[in-house]
Amino acid sequence: MYPANIAMPAQPSPSRLEAFSDGVIAVIITIMVLELKVPREAGMAGFVTTLPALAVYAQSFAFTGIYWVNHHHLVARLRRVDHLILWTNLIFLFCLSLLPFFTNYLVEKRMDSFSVALYAVSLLTTGVGFTLLQKAIGRHLCRYKTKDDAYERRLQMAEQRKAYLSLTMYLAATPLAFWRPWVALADVALVTVIWIIPTYGLRPEQAQEPLETE
């Protein structure tokens, strides 16, 4: 408790949370592209050897970019943030920050079964982190009523369905990697389709977002 003559510290604004997250995600993407190596062999033959690495980079870039889009969509629904949101956001960013390492590991080990399994586990961990952030924001929005509670409930249910489906697919990719690594990579790539449109699962007339009321 704070004495009556001392003002309580102001809660961080969603804009600060989003700006910090944007900066971290930008660094993550930068680190990934810096891991791409120029082949020693010149000409088309050398370039062809880089195609697997470019494909993995493109996939990891797509994951990171889609998380950025959906993160923006989540934070845009807030007018204030609480400590639970701050900590779950940090957990999510920490998990996402490991993606460049596992992407490079996947390329260095030539996409063998173990490296693909680790890559799937890293995506699963990041998915869990993002789901925790979704839960924290949903809890916050339920506490501070929105202008359209019915919309918010529908949106959260659609997000939960996509989150649980994504986590299931990531989890399934781990054992699949020891059977057919390329099947596992195709499995996790399908998750990007689920999250391309943040409001997918709602009818078009329900697409306008409510804002948290004061």
Side-chain angles (χ1 to χ4, degrees):
M1 296 295 293
Y2 288 86
N5 61 336
I6 299 179
M8 292 183 63
Q11 291 181 324
S13 66
S15 60
R16 287 192 62 191
L17 175 73
E18 188 169 20
F20 173 75
S21 302
D22 287 351
V24 172
I25 292 173
V27 171
I28 290 170
I29 290 175
T30 303
I31 292 173
M32 280 196 297
V33 75
L34 290 177
E35 293 294 338
L36 294 175
K37 307 299 183 184
V38 176
R40 293 182 178 180
E41 187 176 355
M44 182 59 68
F47 176 74
V48 169
T49 63
T50 67
L51 292 180
L54 288 172
V56 173
Y57 165 74
Q59 182 164 300
S60 294
F61 180 91
F63 286 130
T64 307
I66 287 173
Y67 273 125
W68 174 73
V69 171
N70 283 273
H71 184 276
H72 169 75
H73 178 75
L74 274 177
V75 176
R77 288 146 62 185
L78 297 170
R79 291 193 183 277
R80 61 179 71 84
V81 297
D82 57 26
H83 287 87
L84 182 60
I85 293 175
L86 291 176
W87 282 108
T88 52
N89 189 68
L90 282 175
I91 291 171
F92 161 65
L93 292 176
F94 169 75
C95 296
L96 187 61
S97 70
L98 297 175
L99 186 57
F101 168 77
F102 287 107
T103 299
N104 189 47
Y105 187 90
L106 181 64
V107 173
E108 291 291 330
K109 301 304 178 183
R110 299 184 180 276
M111 303 181 197
D112 63 5
S113 296
F114 184 71
S115 64
V116 172
L118 278 181
Y119 185 68
V121 169
S122 74
L123 296 175
L124 174 63
T125 305
T126 305
V128 170
F130 190 73
T131 301
L132 291 176
L133 178 61
Q134 285 181 317
K135 294 285 188 183
I137 290 178
R139 171 181 172 273
H140 179 86
L141 291 174
C142 287
R143 176 179 295 178
Y144 300 97
K145 302 297 183 181
T146 62
K147 295 178 181 178
D148 188 346
D149 291 336
Y151 171 88
E152 185 59 41
R153 286 193 298 270
R154 290 192 298 269
L155 183 57
Q156 289 188 30
M157 288 179 63
E159 289 173 341
Q160 288 178 10
R161 287 194 297 268
K162 292 195 296 184
Y164 294 145
L165 177 59
S166 302
L167 295 179
T168 301
M169 294 175 70
Y170 289 145
L171 187 61
T174 305
L176 279 175
F178 294 98
W179 175 61
R180 292 287 189 275
W182 285 103
V183 174
L185 288 173
D187 175 72
V188 298
L190 286 175
V191 178
T192 59
V193 179
I194 300 174
W195 289 99
I196 286 175
I197 304 175
T199 55
Y200 179 78
L202 296 177
R203 294 191 301 273
E205 62 269 19
Q206 299 171 346
Q208 187 174 359
E209 301 175 12
L211 290 175
E212 176 191 342
T213 56
E214 297 291 349

